[in-house]
Amino acid sequence: MNTPTVLFLAKYPDSQSIKEGMSQRIHAVDKHFSSFSRAYLSVSFLKNWKRKVENRGTNITQYECNFFFHFFFLLSFWRKSKLIYYHSIYNVPATLCFLFFNSRYTKVVWDVHGAVPEEQKMSGFNIKSTVYNFVERCIFRSADLIIVVTDALKVHLLEKHKRTKADFFLYPILSNQLKFRNSNNVCSKKTEKLTVIYSGNTQVWQNVNLMLKVIKQHFSNEINYYLLTGEPESMKLALKEAELANEANIFVLSVDPSELEHYYRKAHYGFVLRDDMVVNNVACPTKLVEYMHYGIIPIVKSERIGDFKKFGYEYISYKDFSMQLPIQKSSVNQKIIDRLIKQNEKVDLSILINFL
C-alpha cells in the first residue's frame, strides 16, 4: 500500500454533495494539500463489509472500510500517515481507538464546525449527545491543532473541557456562492420594491412558523417574499396552515445553488431566526454568510450568532420588522464578509500545520 502523507477522515465531495456546506468545507481545505498524496477515509462499525477503494483525482484516493473487518489495514494508515485530519466530530467515533496508536511523528488536526453534543441534545437525542460529549473530550485532549469556525466556538470548547495540548486556529466556513467583492455591486436602486428572502429548509430550529407569523402580521403588496427551499412541498403546507398559500407576492422556489446569486442580489432583508443557545452562538451559518456577502440585512430572533455581533454586523430583530423598513442594502455586512474572505485566502494550512 502506498500510504498517503495526509489522511482525511471524511468522504471526498462528489458532484451532488458539493452543494452541502460540509462538502464545501472539505473541498476548501483539500486545496491546501493539492501537492501532497492524500486519502479520504470513511469508517463504519456496521457497513462497508467489503473494502472499497476509488481514485478521485490527482493524488486522491477514497477508502470505505469497516472497523472490524479492516482493523489492521486502518491501523497501518494511522502508523504511517504524517497528518490525520478529522473533518467534524461525526467522523471521530469509528476511529477513536486509533488515536492511541499514533506515531509520535504524526500530527492530529480536528476541524470543528459546531457544538455537536449540544445540537444532538437539542434534537432530543440524549444518548447520542452523551456519546459525542465523550468523543469530543477525547479528541480535544489528543489533537495537536484545533481549527474552529468562530472565536466563540474556541471559547466554548475551552470553558467546557479546560485541558488540551492543541493550538487553535480560526478558519471560518465560507460558501462557494460568494461571487464578488465590490460593495458598490450590492447597492439597490431606490425604486425597487422591498424584497425579503429566506434560504433554507423547514427544520424546527429554523423557526419557519415564526417567520410566517411575522410575514402575516406585516403582510403588504409592497413587499416581495422569496422562500428558497429544498423542501418546497413542506413550505407550501406551512404557508397553507398560516393562511398565506394564495398570496401572489410570496414565492416558494427550489433553485440550484448557482441560481442563488440572482435572488440574493435583489433581496434587502433575510430571515435567520435562530434561538439564543450554544449551538447558534458558536456557529458560522452558511446562509448568514451568503446573506451578508450580498449586503442583505438579517432579520434575527437572537443577534448572538457566531462572531458576527462582535464584528458589528447590521441586523434587525423580527419584532422590529415592518412594512416601513427602508429599501436598502448593508455595505457594512458586505465588508465584514469581504474581510473574512481575504483572511481565508491568506491561509495556507499545509504550512500552518507544518507537519513535514
Side-chain angles (χ1 to χ4, degrees), residues 24-40:
Q24 291 180 19
R25 173 68 162 197
I26 293 170
H27 189 258
V29 170
D30 184 78
K31 290 179 181 179
H32 292 269
F33 300 92
S34 59
S35 62
F36 297 100
S37 176
R38 54 214 190 273
Y40 282 82

Side-chain angles (χ1 to χ4, degrees), residues 202 208-209 212 227 229 231-245 252:
T202 58
V208 169
N209 289 337
L212 298 183
L227 309 182
T229 178
E231 300 173 344
E233 297 308 315
S234 296
M235 185 65 74
K236 289 176 182 177
L237 179 60
L239 282 167
K240 183 177 180 180
E241 292 174 350
E243 299 179 343
L244 291 169
V252 177

Side-chain angles (χ1 to χ4, degrees), residues 39-290:
Y40 282 82
L41 179 61
S42 175
V43 182
S44 173
F45 288 120
L46 302 176
K47 300 178 183 178
N48 305 332
W49 303 114
K50 184 177 181 180
R51 187 173 71 204
K52 183 178 179 181
V53 183
E54 182 180 0
N55 290 326
R56 298 298 300 274
T58 305
N59 293 331
I60 302 173
T61 307
Q62 173 75 58
Y63 295 86
E64 296 182 21
C65 297
N66 179 271
F67 174 83
F68 301 104
F69 277 58
H70 310 121
F71 180 88
F72 292 103
F73 173 82
L74 295 170
L75 180 59
S76 68
F77 257 142
W78 255 256
R79 296 297 296 171
K80 296 178 182 178
S81 295
K82 293 185 178 180
L83 174 68
I84 297 171
Y85 193 114
Y86 280 98
H87 272 292
S88 172
I89 195 173
Y90 289 115
N91 295 307
V92 178
T95 58
L96 183 62
C97 72
F98 292 112
L99 290 174
F100 299 103
F101 296 102
N102 283 348
S103 162
R104 63 191 180 93
Y105 301 108
T106 301
K107 298 268 184 156
V108 176
V109 178
W110 176 32
D111 196 330
V112 196
H113 303 165
V116 171
E118 289 77 9
E119 183 178 340
Q120 293 295 326
K121 187 172 184 179
M122 179 184 71
S123 301
F125 303 126
N126 293 329
I127 294 177
K128 283 187 177 181
S129 177
T130 301
V131 170
Y132 280 116
N133 266 314
F134 171 76
V135 172
E136 185 180 80
R137 184 165 61 252
C138 292
I139 189 68
F140 186 76
R141 294 181 179 181
S142 300
D144 297 291
L145 179 69
I146 298 175
I147 299 177
V148 291
V149 295
T150 64
D151 275 329
L153 182 54
K154 172 185 174 181
V155 172
H156 164 70
L157 290 170
L158 286 171
E159 288 179 347
K160 183 178 178 182
H161 297 299
K162 313 297 182 187
R163 294 170 47 200
T164 184
K165 65 178 181 179
D167 293 321
F168 283 83
F169 187 77
L170 177 64
Y171 190 58
I173 294 177
L174 299 180
S175 168
N176 288 348
Q177 305 308 315
L178 311 188
K179 296 290 183 64
F180 63 85
R181 253 194 261 148
N182 183 347
S183 59
N184 293 327
N185 289 334
V186 304
C187 296
S188 295
K189 298 177 182 178
K190 293 295 182 182
T191 55
E192 288 184 357
K193 182 183 286 191
L194 184 66
T195 300
V196 180
I197 200 168
Y198 171 74
S199 180
N201 290 328
T202 58
Q203 301 98 325
V204 173
W205 51 269
Q206 297 273 22
N207 285 315
V208 169
N209 289 337
L210 176 59
M211 175 182 72
L212 298 183
K213 181 179 179 181
V214 172
I215 292 174
K216 188 173 183 178
Q217 288 176 341
H218 304 284
F219 189 80
S220 168
N221 289 327
E222 299 305 312
I223 306 176
N224 280 336
Y225 296 96
Y226 289 90
L227 309 182
L228 310 181
T229 178
E231 300 173 344
E233 297 308 315
S234 296
M235 185 65 74
K236 289 176 182 177
L237 179 60
L239 282 167
K240 183 177 180 180
E241 292 174 350
E243 299 179 343
L244 291 169
N246 298 318
E247 302 298 344
N249 55 330
I250 299 178
F251 306 94
V252 177
L253 302 169
S254 179
V255 303
D256 188 86
S258 63
E259 300 176 77
L260 288 173
E261 180 184 6
H262 170 74
Y263 298 96
Y264 286 154
R265 280 182 176 272
K266 66 169 62 179
H268 306 100
Y269 299 88
F271 286 105
V272 192
L273 299 176
R274 303 291 178 90
D275 292 305
D276 187 3
M277 59 176 59
V278 169
V279 172
N280 298 320
N281 297 346
V282 304
C284 184
T286 300
K287 173 168 59 182
L288 181 57
V289 171
E290 290 176 352

